[in-house]
Amino acid sequence: MSIELKNVTYTYSPGTSYQIHALKDINLEIPDGQFIGVIGHTGSGKSTLIQHFNALIQPTSGTVSYNGEDVWAEKYDRRKLRSEVGLVFQYPEHQLFESDVLSDVCFGPMNQGMTREQAEEEARKALHHVGFKEENFDKSPFELSGGQKKRVAIAGVLAMNPKILILDEPTAGLDPKGRDEILDQIAQLHKVRGITIVLVSHSMEDVAKYAQRLIVVNHGEIAFDDTPKKVFAHFREMEPMGLAAPQITYIMHALKEKGLDVDPSDTTVEEAKQDILEALKKINSPLLKGGVKND
Amino acid sequence: MGIIKAVKLAFDYLKYDEDGNVQETQRAVDGVDVDIREGQFVAILGHNGSGKSTFAKHINALLLPSDGTIWIDGINTLEEPELWKVRQKAGMVFQNPDNQIIGSVVEEDVGFGPENMGVPTMDIWKRVNESLEKTGMTAYRHHSPNKLSGGQKQRVAIAGVMAMRPKCIVLDEPTAMLDPNGRKEVLAAVHQLNKQENVTVVLITHYMEEVIDADHVIVMDDGHVVMEGTPREIFSQVETLKKYRLDVPQVTLLAHELKQSGVEIPDGILTTEELVNALCQ
Amino acid sequence: MIRDITIGQYYPAKSPIHRMDPRTKLFGTLIFIISVFLFHSVAGYAVATLFLAGMIIISQVPVKFIFKGLKAIFMILMITMVFNILLTPGEVLWKIGIFKITREGISMAVRMAIRLVYLVIGSSLMTLTTTPNQLTDGLEKSLRPLNKIHIPVHEIAMMMSIALRFIPILLEETDKIMKAQIARGADFESGNLIQKVKNMVPLLVPLFISAFRRANDLAMAMEARCYHGGDNRTQMKPLHYTRRDHIAYVVLFVYLAVAIGFRVMGW
């Protein structure tokens, strides 16, 4: 069970003077069960890339296959593919249209051929999984707050029971608490339902915290594809790409340079805290006069 | 009196039933007292729905108080019959860059405000040239706004406001729809205007990193001002901020966590440099 | 296909046509359209073609760009041609089943096609060389006399210029909404006509809501920038005719005279 891209190239307006190579010779495999982060600045080609995963875009050359089958073969059922590889776009306003939340989430499952009753069952499950409260099922999706709309949009795709869920900047425009809630819910989906997650994000802190694998797209090519720690070790090369490592990485590098024995590959606050405490203990730092409190 | 002064400011959103009677009132801003001095860079923090945008719209009289008073450069917005006179003192930049650019060519958009104010043609050109220069958008003056990046569009919007020669600019989450580079670009432009032109800036945001360089921070929750102070004073209260659905920059969080574990470092660390210096004396 | 519409798009350049007063261009486009209906012979169309080709060359707009605009009307063009060929009575050339193809039908179809194509090219050339703001300024000033009979000319012109600015944004948005719904299994292609119309709901609802939202935001942004109608408003780029425009008017009148002459002479 996997998505595989082989030598995928995508060109906008080929053959004209406006021709732009959005993707160049991409080779990539998305195996089952991973939590993958995708980063790249605006215009790097990352949006074009993820739209190849569920056949919204046909590559100019190269092949995209799902479970070994070419998704652009003549008889291939691409509608079925799209229910297995779910894609949630950035703005929930682009997909919400029904008069109440439950009906809106039913849209996907009913397109799969389910009856209203079956669809409602899937919709309820999906809404439950994104932490949307039952008492709001009858509300109009347009009355909801940004965070709630986002949940409904994710549920709308989740209700189709995808095996892979791709999310394009799911936290854009949310406040810090709303952002953490959505990301925790997505991590939960990965853990509990075993769904493969592809998370497109601008936040290095978020991908560092959640992703097991990080793909960096730059100028239509894959610049790095590794664990977040290993990718962020290249932070000096990432800066010219308009990207940066999480703030923690910079702190740890600076501390290391100043002679504190810490691991510069730390990317999250939790790791950094443990590491700094160890290092301070080792040198018997006067900063630890009161002893380490374990909370 | 400062350039923006609010006393017990309150605003109710009204919901009408089918017959046009008031069915429900919702108090979005409640008893806000604010005094902002000329030339200050003030950040207003708050989660979505905290009332910060509603408050901001009072500064250029897009909304008028239901209760209390707000003075902009000495003008009480409730007593001014020609509201556009308030608006030329306090310009406003909004969240969505696409929904505030009126012109189809950058320079024509920048000229829109002065045209409305009845500025003579020659002066409009002078103002447009100056504003484009100040926001670094001169090279794009003949471009279509649709072809610009998000950060560039917001700079055009800022130039459009600057051409009105306001004393104050209010930016309502100007970076919420931008990528990290666009955010930096817009913020740099705003800081430069504040420093070089001495324009008072009111920045509304929920990105904590954007607040660090402000002179003064106001935190709003549920229509009230709940915290006020310098960035350092605000960010040393990590737990309180979390209660208001906000967070702190990662470096501040790390410093806070270390302190909780017994490391003796000062409160409210804001930059990597400060933390490194505190740890490696 | 929606990306191919060039009407309403501006091609930046510094040609004499770009610098012309928009009123001259509006008037010129009008004369050209009239001429295309006046001409009805090969010689006449040749004159129109020469005139149009001349304008395109002077305008410095790449020909490719102008022809791209035709892609969007291709279907309409084909349908008009087929109807004209099949439904015009006259001398029968071929007969296939119940369909008759007549000499008059073919000539009518060709004429209609030329008119339609020239009409689109002519107006695209105007919008490609004139920013929407200039265009609406031109309209506003040319139509100002209508103010006397209480037609809100300034407001109409402002609405037009905003509409033109938002067309590309809304087209792009349509594309995004379509993709978001296709990702949820929506089907915009198969089914009969009623089914197809019904399938458009998930596209149209978000599009309308977004358009209203944008309208709301924009109204607020305009107010924030001191917009209070057309009263006491000055202009950054006020219109005034220059020598270039005077020459253009002479050329246009000569051209119109030729077109009328051809018609009168029956050429």
Side-chain angles (χ1 to χ4, degrees):
Chain A
M1 302 294 267
S2 71
I3 306 175
E4 208 180 345
L5 273 64
K6 267 198 192 132
N7 307 105
V8 165
T9 296
Y10 183 76
T11 316
Y12 281 109
S13 326
T16 70
S17 51
Y18 299 99
Q19 165 168 324
I20 300 164
H21 294 287
L23 292 177
K24 295 173 221 164
D25 199 26
I26 301 272
N27 289 289
L28 193 64
E29 204 196 335
I30 310 282
D32 249 8
Q34 284 188 335
F35 194 127
I36 302 172
V38 177
I39 58 175
H41 70 85
T42 311
S44 61
K46 61 182 192 309
S47 292
T48 314
L49 178 67
I50 57 166
Q51 291 179 37
H52 277 84
F53 293 168
N54 70 341
L56 278 179
I57 292 182
Q58 183 170 15
T60 314
S61 66
T63 55
V64 179
S65 49
Y66 180 65
N67 297 338
E69 281 178 84
D70 181 355
V71 305
W72 288 101
E74 206 167 318
K75 292 260 167 65
Y76 194 85
D77 185 356
R78 281 182 287 277
R79 278 183 75 184
K80 188 159 168 281
L81 168 77
R82 288 177 194 132
S83 64
E84 298 204 9
V85 183
L87 174 55
V88 186
F89 282 93
Q90 190 177 354
Y91 296 108
E93 289 80 5
H94 284 163
Q95 67 173 68
L96 303 176
F97 72 101
E98 279 282 6
S99 51
D100 62 283
V101 168
L102 194 63
S103 306
D104 200 277
V105 178
C106 284
F107 180 67
M110 284 170 77
N111 282 330
Q112 286 174 299
M114 287 187 203
T115 62
R116 172 78 193 195
E117 285 72 38
Q118 291 170 315
E120 247 177 55
E121 205 185 307
E122 293 301 328
R124 281 172 193 282
K125 242 195 290 175
L127 283 164
H128 181 69
H129 278 155
V130 296
F132 191 86
K133 291 203 184 74
E134 176 111 32
E135 68 229 40
N136 294 331
F137 282 10
D138 293 333
K139 274 203 177 157
S140 158
F142 307 109
E143 283 174 21
L144 303 172
S145 70
Q148 295 299 335
K149 275 186 193 163
K150 190 74 81 173
R151 280 166 210 263
V152 176
I154 295 173
V157 172
L158 199 61
M160 299 166 79
N161 278 311
K163 303 211 164 47
I164 301 173
L165 185 62
I166 309 163
L167 301 119
D168 192 359
E169 289 181 52
T171 59
L174 300 185
D175 59 31
K177 187 83 184 295
R179 182 193 67 204
D180 292 348
E181 284 170 357
I182 287 282
L183 287 173
D184 284 341
Q185 212 81 54
I186 292 166
Q188 202 63 21
L189 287 175
H190 176 242
K191 221 185 271 166
V192 177
R193 286 180 63 161
I195 298 175
T196 308
I197 303 282
V198 178
L199 175 73
V200 179
S201 178
H202 278 311
S203 163
M204 304 304 146
E205 283 75 20
D206 291 347
V207 287
K209 189 168 165 196
Y210 293 98
Q212 304 161 328
R213 173 182 169 194
L214 186 54
I215 297 171
V216 181
V217 186
N218 188 43
H219 289 309
E221 287 169 300
I222 291 176
F224 299 105
D225 179 359
D226 213 322
T227 61
K229 268 187 198 304
K230 285 188 180 150
V231 171
F232 286 131
H234 296 278
F235 69 102
R236 299 248 181 259
E237 293 154 69
M238 287 167 67
E239 280 161 9
M241 299 176 189
L243 303 169
Q247 204 179 9
I248 296 297
T249 307
Y250 289 92
I251 297 170
M252 299 315 262
H253 273 269
L255 288 173
K256 180 99 187 164
E257 262 168 48
K258 286 269 179 137
L260 199 63
D261 184 24
V262 292
D263 179 1
S265 75
D266 287 347
T267 50
T268 64
V269 172
E270 194 47 38
E271 284 172 353
K273 173 184 141 190
Q274 293 307 336
D275 214 13
I276 293 171
L277 285 177
E278 300 273 312
L280 290 175
K281 255 188 270 178
K282 242 187 270 171
I283 58 165
N284 250 327
S285 167
L287 294 173
L288 287 175
K289 271 193 306 233
V292 174
K293 289 178 215 157
N294 284 316
D295 44 358
Chain B
M1 180 152 74
I3 184 152
I4 300 166
K5 184 176 166 72
V7 174
K8 295 207 178 78
L9 185 78
F11 184 79
D12 297 320
Y13 279 110
L14 304 179
K15 237 186 181 176
Y16 295 93
D17 64 10
E18 280 152 14
D19 304 324
N21 303 316
V22 176
Q23 189 184 29
E24 211 184 301
T25 64
Q26 195 190 352
R27 188 144 277 211
V29 171
D30 195 4
V32 167
D33 295 313
V34 164
D35 196 349
I36 294 171
R37 273 178 289 118
E38 190 155 3
Q40 267 194 320
F41 192 115
V42 176
I44 302 183
L45 281 175
H47 62 82
N48 293 338
S50 60
K52 59 189 194 306
S53 280
T54 309
F55 171 68
K57 290 192 181 97
H58 282 82
I59 302 178
N60 68 350
L62 284 173
L63 295 177
L64 295 174
S66 310
D67 212 346
T69 321
I70 185 163
W71 290 270
I72 309 302
D73 199 19
I75 305 178
N76 179 346
T77 59
L78 280 173
E79 287 169 1
E80 174 59 56
E82 290 185 70
L83 286 175
W84 63 271
K85 285 183 181 156
V86 177
R87 291 178 187 142
Q88 81 186 63
K89 288 185 186 288
M92 188 142 180
V93 175
F94 298 87
Q95 185 185 82
N96 190 333
D98 281 324
N99 296 358
Q100 58 183 316
I101 295 181
I102 294 114
S104 305
V105 177
V106 168
E107 63 175 17
E108 289 179 10
D109 184 72
V110 176
F112 181 74
E115 284 182 336
N116 294 330
M117 289 158 57
V119 174
T121 303
M122 286 303 288
D123 286 347
I124 297 181
W125 281 93
K126 223 176 104 193
R127 287 175 177 225
V128 168
N129 293 343
E130 269 174 23
S131 304
L132 287 170
E133 200 61 49
K134 282 176 197 161
T135 48
M137 291 303 292
T138 306
Y140 301 91
R141 64 183 308 157
H142 299 296
H143 286 233
S144 154
N146 291 338
K147 300 263 157 70
L148 302 178
S149 73
Q152 289 169 335
K153 283 182 201 167
Q154 287 301 55
R155 274 154 69 198
V156 172
I158 294 170
V161 168
M162 284 304 290
M164 291 159 54
R165 301 229 174 110
K167 291 197 165 177
C168 165
I169 300 189
V170 183
L171 301 107
D172 189 1
E173 296 193 37
T175 58
M177 297 179 82
L178 306 183
D179 66 8
N181 293 322
R183 292 216 292 267
K184 269 187 220 152
E185 187 181 323
V186 168
L187 233 70
V190 175
H191 273 288
Q192 203 188 343
L193 289 176
N194 175 247
K195 285 207 186 77
Q196 291 181 356
E197 311 294 325
N198 202 34
V199 180
T200 312
V201 173
V202 178
L203 174 71
I204 292 160
T205 185
H206 50 231
Y207 286 111
M208 303 301 138
E209 304 79 30
E210 298 181 354
V211 174
I212 294 168
D213 298 319
D215 300 320
H216 191 74
V217 181
I218 295 170
V219 180
M220 286 188 70
D221 185 64
D222 200 22
H224 304 279
V225 171
V226 288
M227 292 167 88
E228 219 178 325
T230 62
R232 200 177 301 283
E233 284 162 8
I234 299 292
F235 285 140
S236 48
Q237 304 175 53
V238 176
E239 302 302 331
T240 321
L241 281 169
K242 278 191 181 158
K243 203 175 77 194
Y244 297 128
R245 289 178 69 93
L246 298 169
D247 61 2
V248 293
Q250 280 208 316
V251 59
T252 312
L253 184 61
L254 177 58
H256 174 75
E257 297 264 321
L258 287 171
K259 195 175 163 112
Q260 294 278 303
S261 305
V263 182
E264 285 177 29
I265 46 173
D267 268 328
I269 282 184
L270 297 178
T271 65
T272 302
E273 216 181 1
E274 283 172 15
L275 179 64
V276 173
N277 287 338
L279 288 174
C280 311
Q281 285 149 345
Chain C
M1 189 184 89
I2 47 180
R3 285 176 202 282
D4 295 332
I5 297 170
T6 51
I7 292 186
Q9 277 187 28
Y10 176 66
Y11 181 87
K14 284 186 174 153
S15 76
I17 296 203
H18 281 79
R19 292 181 196 181
M20 229 174 246
D21 190 289
R23 288 169 292 176
T24 317
K25 285 185 262 189
L26 276 167
F27 185 69
T29 311
L30 188 69
I31 287 190
F32 180 70
I33 290 171
I34 293 171
S35 81
V36 171
F37 285 91
L38 287 174
F39 289 130
H40 57 281
S41 63
V42 176
Y45 290 132
V47 174
T49 311
L50 269 175
F51 180 78
L52 191 59
M55 291 305 140
I56 293 174
I57 291 165
I58 299 171
S59 76
Q60 294 170 12
V61 177
V63 179
K64 233 191 225 166
F65 211 90
I66 291 171
F67 283 108
K68 248 180 70 184
L70 290 175
K71 268 194 216 160
I73 60 149
F74 186 74
M75 277 311 289
I76 306 173
L77 190 65
M78 283 299 132
I79 293 166
T80 0
M81 282 188 74
V82 167
F83 271 92
N84 270 303
I85 288 176
L86 297 180
L87 301 177
T88 314
E91 183 191 335
V92 177
L93 292 180
W94 296 283
K95 206 172 158 186
I96 310 152
I98 53 161
F99 296 113
K100 277 178 278 189
I101 295 175
T102 62
R103 182 185 294 279
E104 285 79 1
I106 291 176
S107 109
M108 187 64 135
V110 170
R111 213 170 289 165
M112 285 303 287
I114 290 175
R115 282 176 187 168
L116 200 59
V117 167
Y118 278 28
L119 206 124
V120 170
I121 294 181
S123 25
S124 306
L125 191 61
M126 175 179 66
T127 54
L128 282 166
T129 57
T130 320
T131 67
N133 271 23
Q134 285 176 330
L135 197 63
T136 44
D137 277 357
L139 271 176
E140 188 179 344
K141 210 160 177 187
S142 317
L143 300 179
R144 190 159 292 170
L146 295 180
N147 251 336
K148 290 211 178 71
I149 53 166
H150 299 293
I151 293 176
V153 176
H154 167 78
E155 281 71 16
I156 292 171
M158 182 57 85
M159 281 197 292
M160 276 186 57
S161 98
I162 289 171
L164 285 173
R165 192 182 115 59
F166 276 86
I167 286 171
I169 293 175
L170 288 177
L171 287 178
E172 199 179 307
E173 188 144 274
T174 310
D175 204 46
K176 283 185 183 157
I177 296 171
M178 238 167 155
K179 277 185 174 162
Q181 301 297 30
I182 290 173
R184 293 212 287 164
D187 184 358
F188 294 111
E189 276 142 28
S190 51
N192 58 27
L193 193 65
I194 298 168
Q195 199 64 43
K196 265 188 184 165
V197 171
K198 235 179 108 188
N199 288 349
M200 293 300 269
V201 174
L203 170 63
L204 293 178
V205 174
L207 189 63
F208 278 131
I209 287 178
S210 152
F212 280 121
R213 216 191 111 93
R214 284 181 192 281
N216 216 350
D217 284 5
L218 193 71
M220 196 147 61
M222 287 171 73
E223 256 188 74
R225 282 163 78 183
C226 297
Y227 183 71
H228 53 285
D231 300 339
N232 301 323
R233 206 167 176 270
T234 46
Q235 278 180 317
M236 180 180 176
K237 297 178 176 172
L239 301 177
H240 40 75
Y241 288 125
T242 60
R243 223 174 59 127
R244 185 180 292 123
D245 298 293
H246 299 145
I247 297 169
Y249 272 104
V250 172
V251 173
L252 284 170
F253 278 116
V254 171
Y255 175 72
L256 183 63
V258 170
I260 294 171
F262 267 59
R263 186 70 182 203
V264 173
M265 303 300 282
W267 286 344

